[in-house]
Amino acid sequence: MTVGTGAGLDTADMVLNIGPQHPSTHGVLRLKLTLDGERVVACEPIVGYMHRGAEKLFEVRDYRQIIMLANRHDWLSAFANELGVVLAVERLMGIEVPERAIWLRTALAEMNRVLNHLMFLGSYPLEIGAITPMFYAFRERETLQAVLEEATGGRMHYMFNRVGGLKEEVPAGWTRRARQAIATVRKRLPDLDNLIRRNDIFLARTVGVGVLTAAQAAAYGASGPVARASGLDFDLRRDEPYLAYDQLEVPVITKKAGDCHSRFEVLLDQAYVSLDLAEECLDRVDQISGPVNVRLPKVVKAPEGHTYAWTENPLGVNGYYLVSRGEKTPWRLKLRTASYANVQALATLIPGCLVPDLIAILGSMFFVVGDIDK
């Protein structure tokens, strides 16, 4: 296609591929762009390069084995992914989970949320030229990773949830060490905050760039920090509580601008909130004694029926639609992942922007490609 520039010169549109392997695509995502000079005219996100067929694999794994597959689609939110699966199975089986396990799960879910957010808080500035925040973000991640690794045995794929509770009791003194880690991160997080939030160059690259309106966010089914940065005041922890969230006061961070900077700020402010929630949960854990799981038969079979469980994952709303025919494997387990819905908005956000802004917008949508392709 030939377009006029208004200066008597005709230029041809260029079709450019970003990806499928590119540092800022957080995995193998491909963007097919149509450019008029430096300006993006059209954007088509093309997904599927990483598709591993997890939903089909669920159908030939029993209810203990699918937890391992489920915790890998968003590799930054493994604990939260496991949680959705076990909540769906427990609901279908009518299992009452011990109170101590509920509070421990809530504490670990919030710590996992901070770990997820810290990764993006470090990598997003890196994608638009700021190297230093990555070191601060990883310093805090390592502090929290140490206590999660002590409890679960894993650094990335925790495999700590079980149908009916948790794998095992946490080590003696673990809650004290976890609180110390949270206090350390809370004390040092302002280092990262002060470095980047009001940085002039960062502001120039993100304020007013990639605006997603509340109506657009709702239309695309966006959720989590991406939607709340556009003013959508929705958080399952407060609005449809699960685990122990009905006994907690959950502040929901929202912004109005819907631009790249607002999305970053929501993520940063949410990290402070989650640290407070995790600490409150740990205080409750210390007041409760008893088991952290229920005894299950050797072969776990969910009764015939179907259920839907959804959770407020770090990146947004994750849904788990479980259909059982009374066998030891699910007949169907459909995942509704946050990243898949959020990334669709790129087709609206990116056209009209300049090529340098493309990466700022792409990085601010906070997705994991495994969560898209699942």
Side-chain angles (χ1 to χ4, degrees):
M1 181 172 72
T2 303
V3 295
T5 62
L9 296 172
D10 287 338
T11 59
D13 279 2
M14 176 193 293
V15 176
L16 180 70
N17 283 296
I18 299 289
Q21 289 173 314
H22 188 278
S24 68
T25 57
H26 302 192
V28 276
L29 171 70
R30 178 183 167 206
L31 294 179
K32 185 180 177 185
L33 306 174
T34 305
L35 303 181
D36 177 13
E38 281 282 304
R39 196 166 294 281
V40 180
V41 178
C43 168
E44 181 187 357
I46 302 173
V47 304
Y49 287 90
M50 205 172 177
H51 186 53
R52 291 163 291 175
E55 291 178 351
K56 204 67 189 165
L57 291 173
F58 290 154
E59 297 169 18
V60 290
R61 302 291 196 281
D62 68 35
Y63 288 108
R64 292 183 175 100
Q65 293 170 323
I66 61 175
I67 298 170
M68 179 276 292
L69 286 170
N71 82 9
R72 283 160 164 72
H73 58 87
D74 173 3
W75 46 80
L76 296 177
S77 311
F79 189 86
N81 298 340
E82 300 169 11
L83 194 55
V85 171
V86 296
L87 287 174
V89 179
E90 287 162 3
R91 186 174 297 175
L92 202 55
M93 294 179 71
I95 292 174
E96 197 75 39
V97 178
E99 189 183 8
R100 184 171 170 84
I102 290 172
W103 282 100
L104 271 170
R105 277 179 172 179
T106 313
L108 289 162
E110 289 305 312
M111 291 168 76
N112 190 199
R113 191 182 309 277
V114 178
L115 283 173
N116 171 290
H117 291 358
L118 282 169
M119 173 60 82
F120 287 107
L121 291 171
S123 66
Y124 180 50
L126 180 68
E127 285 156 12
I128 51 180
I131 296 172
T132 312
M134 195 69 164
F135 301 120
Y136 285 91
F138 264 77
R139 179 185 67 177
E140 313 318 336
R141 271 179 61 85
E142 283 303 314
T143 303
L144 287 174
Q145 284 278 28
V147 288
L148 262 81
E149 185 177 2
E150 182 190 355
T152 66
R155 280 180 60 80
M156 196 166 176
H157 301 302
Y158 305 110
M159 276 304 292
F160 199 53
N161 279 290
R162 294 291 186 274
V163 176
L166 295 170
K167 174 189 167 190
E168 60 195 2
E169 181 56 84
V170 292
W174 179 83
T175 54
R176 176 178 51 79
R177 291 187 290 278
R179 269 196 299 272
Q180 287 171 348
I182 288 168
T184 301
V185 173
R186 185 189 289 113
K187 182 181 174 184
R188 298 192 308 206
L189 196 54
D191 292 346
L192 176 64
D193 193 329
N194 296 333
L195 187 69
I196 197 71
R197 192 196 292 253
R198 294 283 167 252
N199 180 284
D200 287 342
I201 299 172
F202 186 71
L203 289 169
R205 295 295 306 274
T206 57
V207 172
V209 175
V211 175
L212 180 70
T213 65
Q216 288 171 334
Y220 279 108
S223 59
V226 167
R228 291 195 287 272
S230 297
L232 284 186
D233 188 7
F234 179 69
D235 191 313
L236 286 176
R237 295 172 298 169
R238 180 198 63 194
D239 302 329
E240 287 200 28
Y242 54 99
L243 294 181
Y245 289 117
D246 59 340
Q247 300 175 60
L248 294 168
E249 192 71 38
V250 181
V252 177
I253 307 296
T254 60
K255 302 287 179 185
K256 290 280 171 54
D259 58 7
C260 293
H261 194 263
S262 293
R263 291 190 277 272
F264 181 85
E265 278 197 308
V266 168
L267 217 61
L268 185 51
D269 292 337
Q270 178 63 62
Y272 289 107
V273 169
S274 291
L275 288 170
D276 292 341
L277 290 173
E279 188 171 48
E280 192 175 340
C281 292
L282 291 170
D283 290 340
R284 291 293 294 269
V285 168
D286 284 343
Q287 299 167 19
I288 302 166
S289 58
V292 293
N293 48 39
V294 297
R295 226 178 145 71
L296 294 174
K298 190 171 182 181
V299 178
V300 176
K301 291 186 179 182
E304 191 168 341
H306 61 95
T307 190
Y308 184 75
W310 58 348
T311 59
E312 187 68 40
N313 267 39
L315 295 179
V317 173
N318 266 31
Y320 302 80
Y321 180 57
L322 173 63
V323 183
S324 170
R325 290 192 168 173
E327 299 164 349
K328 67 177 182 179
T329 61
W331 184 76
R332 182 83 168 92
L333 179 56
K334 173 76 177 78
L335 294 178
R336 184 269 185 217
T337 60
S339 297
Y340 186 77
N342 291 354
V343 81
Q344 295 178 84
L346 290 171
T348 297
L349 279 183
I350 289 178
C353 80
L354 296 171
V355 172
D357 291 334
L358 166 72
I359 302 305
I361 296 169
L362 185 62
S364 75
M365 294 305 283
F366 308 129
F367 57 85
V368 170
V369 174
D371 204 40
I372 299 169
D373 288 349
K374 54 190 189 291

